[in-house]
Amino acid sequence: MSEANAITVDVVSDVVCPWCFIGQKRLDKAVAAAGDIDVHIRWRPFQLDPTIPPQGKDRREYMLAKFGSDERIREIHARIEPLGDAEGISFAFDAIKVAPNTLDAHRLIRWAGAAGEAVQNRLVRRLFQLNFEEGVNIGDHAVLVEAAREAGMDASVVATLLPTDADVEAVRTEIATASRMGISGVPCFLLEGKYAVMGAQDVDTLADAIRQVAAAKARGELDTVG
């Protein structure tokens, strides 16, 4: 495909955001629906709650403190679950025992991006599955190392890097940049670094945005974005 028929979509998300998991599934469908446009996807970090300690928090206690009652939590989950079902997601909220700090997961996603777009996409999908469908603590280094191995990364390198401060500041800087750009909620889809689609929009909305931006780029109406 010609470069004129290719666009980049930066997805600003957090792997503990259920709407981001739904958005990932809808983006996949939108890319397929957009036709012969070559869509390159890059995952960018965002933290819904950077104040969670590195070891995480008990999820039930965390959710109660945030939403006030078990009834309110059940209402929220009940609203999300059928939307997940429609996208092939089996949300298992009751299985999630730990509310993790996602900084290390985002470091891993960053390293996966250096290994290639396909590797990064596989890793992000696996982290969503682990958290939401299997109830696994994605703040646990052993879990992250295994997810890296499954995605095709060098697990021994990941195991060496995770206990260090490698790329901690780089990830935090990216998150701060997103905030300065006005991104206060996720997912946010940035097309060619210029046009933002906020929230887990439906497939048609995302596909139309992809087609419109690709057409504008083909007409030379966009500056080239690396």
Side-chain angles (χ1 to χ4, degrees), residues 4-44:
N5 209 31
I7 70 165
T8 296
V9 178
D10 288 290
V11 188
V12 184
S13 79
D14 197 358
V15 282
V16 291
C17 166
W19 297 104
C20 293
F21 196 5
I22 292 169
Q24 176 258 304
K25 294 288 190 179
R26 291 177 177 173
L27 177 60
D28 283 352
K29 292 179 181 177
V31 169
D36 62 350
I37 299 164
D38 189 10
V39 181
H40 298 285
I41 298 169
R42 299 186 299 201
W43 293 88
R44 302 298 192 187

Side-chain angles (χ1 to χ4, degrees), residues 164-198:
T164 74
D165 290 333
D167 284 329
V168 167
E169 287 309 313
V171 169
R172 285 178 173 154
T173 297
E174 268 204 86
I175 293 169
T177 298
S179 294
R180 283 198 302 274
M181 291 171 66
I183 297 171
S184 58
V186 286
C188 175
F189 305 92
L190 290 172
L191 285 71
E192 283 295 298
K194 294 180 178 296
Y195 299 95
V197 178
M198 299 295 298

